[in-house]
Amino acid sequence: METPDSKTTTSPPPQQEPDLKKPKMSSTTSEEDDAAITAPGDETTIKKQRYKRRKIAIFFAYCGVGYQGMQKNPGAKTIEGDLEEALFHAGAVPENDRGIPKRYDWARSARTDKGVSAVGQVVSGRFYIDPPGLVERLHSNLSPQFRIFGYKRVTGSFNAKKFCDRRRYVYLIPVFALNPCSHRDRESVLASLGSGSELVKCLECSERGRKVVGALGKRSFESKSDVSPTEIRSNDKDTTLKAEIKEEVSALMDNGDGVIRNFESVNEIKVLRNEDSVTTESGISSNSEDANANPEIKDEIMVSIEKGDDKNTKSEEEAINGSGFCYEEKEKERFNRILNYYVGSHNFHNFTTRTKAEDPSARRFIVSFDAKTIVTVEGIEFVKCEVVGQSFMLHQIRKMIGAAVAIMRNCASESLIQTALQKDVNITVPTAPEVGLYLDECFFTSYNQKWKDSHEELSMKDYEEEAEEFKMKHIYSHIAATEHKEGSVALWLHSLNHRNYPDLQVCGNGDNITSEDNNGKESTTVESMAESTAL
């Protein structure tokens, strides 16, 4: 019997079971989970194949015509935009990650500008590469302007941008662009009227080239560079250009007082009837007596402009492109010497846009820059300019080529490059057309050395033949066809003058040009800096 003094015993409270861990959030789709699928009217269960993402590097090429560059930009047609969509439709990217490249660790080795092509571009990310046939599925979702060479497995920490040591770009410049006598500035062409010079056959071309948009970045000339010379001649409705040229010819050859003036285009080019020759601002001499003695010359010019027949087109090409200029040892030595000024670590703030001299990113390292090879495509000879560097800024290569061509054509002295590379000088250098530029290859030397025992080498060695075939079929042919149809380089050469780029004349003559230091004080001159650089 229980006494009142006895203690009442109670059972201990039940222990609570620990909470189960919440499942981790994952961006994977049901493709990674085992899913049971039951066929209608059948009790057998089919297990769906489970795939895993793999970190890979994709090697591919593309022709940049019609695209606004490599990097994805909302509202613009870009290489990345089309490639990301192709990866999604090929099953490499799940629905939840579509349009969000950060989720699959997307990275690119190089960015290319508008209209620039690539042969050895590389991107990396985590993709579903199974089932086999990813390359074929990508091709089925891309235009013929793309060529996927293949992919290689890489380490989990690999990044196509950060692990790329060097990039090699190639610019194809026509041989005639290095000839100082081909596609002269408009003043020289107008001054040659009536002299029997072949420059008169370049009159219409020079008129269109004078109005190239953005030559100096401060003008808003109307561009007709997207219309080919043949289309201009055959279009009866477009008579404005012909009327302008005829007006120029009449003004130059019918001046009653014996003085040729055109204050808008030729700044007081004076020709006295008693003088034997004409000397223009560009230093070109022509015989004015023939123009006055032979009034039929003007009529022939007018007829040539009106007809614009195929013979005139052919003779123009022969006169301009086949003028006897050859890229031989002497010219090759000079051009390579000019390009060699870029080699090394320099401040390239004058060779890009939106980057100030004080910005650390303006300093870049060029490993090599040479032009030793000539390639002939569709009857046009091109000089193959190869530049290798750690990285490049916007328009940097095109501006380096533009300055080098200006020097070769005697529009500026070789001191221009040394001056433009100075930190405390701001000058404007020409920008060559984008059509001749393409990314040739990206290098991963350090990565290959570190992981050579466990991973495949990242290079274009396995795709050389396929890359060469794509390059000749799509990139080289496009560059040559564009020059034949639109004359992009020829038009640009006509804008390469001291009116559009006054800094070329200043540097060429060694005159003083003021510059500002970091404190905004006018201090250094081009002439003094050239002397200090030489010392």
Side-chain angles (χ1 to χ4, degrees):
M1 183 175 179
E2 187 175 0
T3 60
D5 296 331
S6 63
K7 295 181 178 180
T8 304
T9 59
T10 57
S11 61
Q15 296 181 354
Q16 295 181 354
E17 296 182 1
D19 296 337
L20 297 176
K21 293 182 178 180
K22 294 182 179 180
K24 295 181 178 180
M25 296 295 294
S26 175
S27 61
T28 59
T29 61
S30 58
E31 290 182 356
E32 283 193 349
D33 300 327
D34 294 335
I37 302 176
T38 304
D42 190 1
E43 296 182 356
T44 59
T45 301
I46 303 173
K47 205 170 186 179
K48 191 175 181 180
Q49 182 68 41
R50 181 178 180 180
Y51 298 129
K52 293 184 178 180
R53 298 197 197 203
R54 306 293 183 184
K55 191 67 173 289
I56 61 172
I58 302 176
F59 292 78
F60 68 104
Y62 55 85
C63 180
V65 58
Y67 285 90
Q68 301 295 314
M70 171 69 184
Q71 188 174 11
K72 190 165 68 172
N73 190 12
K77 182 178 177 62
T78 62
I79 300 296
E80 275 189 354
D82 282 11
L83 183 58
E84 288 181 10
E85 279 299 296
L87 287 167
F88 166 72
H89 290 293
V93 175
E95 176 71 31
N96 294 342
D97 294 351
R98 183 181 185 182
I100 313 176
K102 289 184 178 180
R103 288 191 177 182
Y104 45 89
D105 202 15
W106 174 270
R108 75 190 78 83
S109 291
R111 291 184 297 180
T112 53
D113 300 338
K114 173 186 174 182
V116 177
S117 304
V119 177
Q121 179 67 281
V122 181
V123 296
S124 62
R126 297 183 182 276
F127 305 108
Y128 295 113
I129 61 176
D130 295 316
L134 175 61
V135 173
E136 290 73 16
R137 294 195 299 272
L138 287 174
H139 279 149
S140 64
N141 291 283
L142 289 169
S143 69
Q145 289 181 234
F146 286 80
R147 179 69 57 84
I148 309 296
F149 299 129
Y151 61 86
K152 296 183 179 182
R153 293 281 300 275
V154 293
T155 61
S157 62
F158 179 82
N159 183 290
K161 178 182 178 181
K162 296 179 180 178
F163 283 65
C164 183
D165 305 312
R166 294 171 294 162
R167 287 98 175 159
R168 180 172 65 209
Y169 282 83
V170 172
Y171 193 98
L172 295 185
I173 186 74
V175 171
F176 67 78
L178 305 181
N179 181 8
C181 298
S182 69
H183 294 283
R184 295 296 304 269
D185 57 272
R186 185 166 172 268
E187 286 81 354
S188 300
V189 174
L190 290 175
S192 69
L193 298 179
S195 65
S197 171
E198 297 293 342
L199 290 177
V200 69
K201 297 176 181 178
C202 207
L203 181 62
E204 185 175 335
C205 181
S206 68
E207 172 66 21
R208 294 191 295 125
R210 180 177 69 98
K211 298 182 179 181
V212 173
V213 170
L216 194 57
K218 300 178 181 178
R219 306 190 178 196
S220 57
F221 289 143
E222 179 184 0
S223 174
K224 298 180 182 178
S225 59
D226 55 339
V227 183
S228 65
T230 305
E231 292 172 339
I232 288 180
R233 294 189 180 98
S234 60
N235 191 352
D236 296 334
K237 296 181 180 180
D238 187 12
T239 58
T240 304
L241 178 60
K242 295 176 182 178
E244 290 179 359
I245 298 174
K246 292 171 67 176
E247 184 178 353
E248 295 281 1
V249 175
S250 299
L252 286 172
M253 304 189 68
D254 293 341
N255 199 333
D257 61 356
V259 180
I260 295 179
R261 290 190 180 92
N262 188 316
F263 296 100
E264 292 183 358
S265 57
V266 185
N267 188 14
E268 291 192 82
I269 302 178
K270 298 182 179 180
V271 182
L272 298 179
R273 294 183 183 222
N274 296 330
E275 293 180 351
D276 295 334
S277 62
V278 180
T279 302
T280 70
E281 292 179 339
S282 306
I284 303 297
S285 297
S286 59
N287 196 334
S288 61
E289 184 178 353
D290 294 339
N292 297 320
N294 299 317
E296 297 179 357
I297 294 178
K298 186 184 73 172
D299 297 334
E300 293 177 0
I301 296 175
M302 296 296 188
V303 172
S304 177
I305 295 173
E306 281 292 336
K307 290 183 176 180
D309 52 9
D310 295 336
K311 293 181 179 180
N312 187 45
T313 305
K314 185 176 180 181
S315 62
E316 177 180 332
E317 293 179 355
E318 292 175 352
I320 302 303
N321 300 341
S323 57
F325 178 84
C326 297
Y327 189 67
E328 297 179 343
E329 291 302 320
K330 183 179 179 180
E331 292 76 14
K332 184 184 298 183
E333 188 276 332
R334 185 189 177 202
F335 194 40
N336 281 272
R337 184 179 69 250
I338 294 171
L339 297 178
N340 193 59
Y341 287 120
Y342 296 116
V343 176
S345 181
H346 303 286
N347 191 310
F348 286 93
H349 72 101
N350 283 317
F351 294 88
T352 185
T353 57
R354 300 192 298 270
T355 302
K356 296 183 179 180
E358 296 77 19
D359 193 334
S361 64
R363 194 160 193 86
R364 302 292 167 124
F365 179 70
I366 305 299
V367 179
S368 63
F369 204 163
D370 56 62
K372 300 178 180 179
T373 308
I374 294 180
V375 293
T376 303
V377 185
E378 297 184 9
I380 302 179
E381 287 187 340
F382 293 91
V383 179
K384 188 177 181 181
C385 307
E386 298 185 9
V387 55
V388 180
Q390 288 181 338
S391 59
F392 299 92
M393 295 180 290
L394 180 67
H395 302 330
Q396 180 182 343
I397 299 175
R398 292 168 57 192
K399 282 183 173 290
M400 290 194 294
I401 291 291
V405 171
I407 295 173
M408 283 292 293
R409 294 175 63 84
N410 301 324
C411 295
S413 66
E414 294 187 17
S415 63
L416 169 68
I417 296 178
Q418 295 172 310
T419 302
L421 294 175
Q422 298 296 320
K423 183 178 180 180
D424 53 351
V425 173
N426 293 319
I427 64 175
T428 302
V429 296
T431 304
E434 73 276 2
V435 65
L437 180 64
Y438 68 88
L439 172 66
D440 191 48
E441 188 173 358
C442 298
F443 299 93
F444 304 89
T445 308
S446 300
Y447 172 86
N448 290 332
Q449 181 64 27
K450 183 176 181 180
W451 301 98
K452 61 182 179 180
D453 296 330
S454 59
H455 287 76
E456 292 182 89
E457 179 185 19
L458 298 184
S459 68
M460 290 290 293
K461 292 181 181 179
D462 297 336
Y463 316 118
E464 285 181 349
E465 294 183 3
E466 191 176 358
E468 187 67 22
E469 184 267 336
F470 178 86
K471 180 169 61 177
M472 296 302 298
K473 182 178 179 180
H474 293 276
I475 298 179
Y476 278 26
S477 61
H478 165 66
I479 294 174
T482 302
E483 190 59 36
H484 275 301
K485 182 180 179 181
E486 302 178 7
S488 56
V489 175
L491 294 177
W492 172 68
L493 293 176
H494 285 300
S495 70
L496 201 61
N497 51 52
H498 295 155
R499 180 184 61 251
N500 289 332
Y501 303 99
D503 292 341
L504 299 182
Q505 186 176 23
V506 173
C507 294
N509 296 337
D511 295 337
N512 293 345
I513 177 173
T514 59
S515 61
E516 295 183 357
D517 56 17
N518 295 335
N519 297 325
K521 298 179 180 179
E522 294 185 357
S523 56
T524 316
T525 64
V526 167
E527 185 178 14
S528 62
M529 279 187 300
E531 293 175 356
S532 62
T533 304
L535 294 176

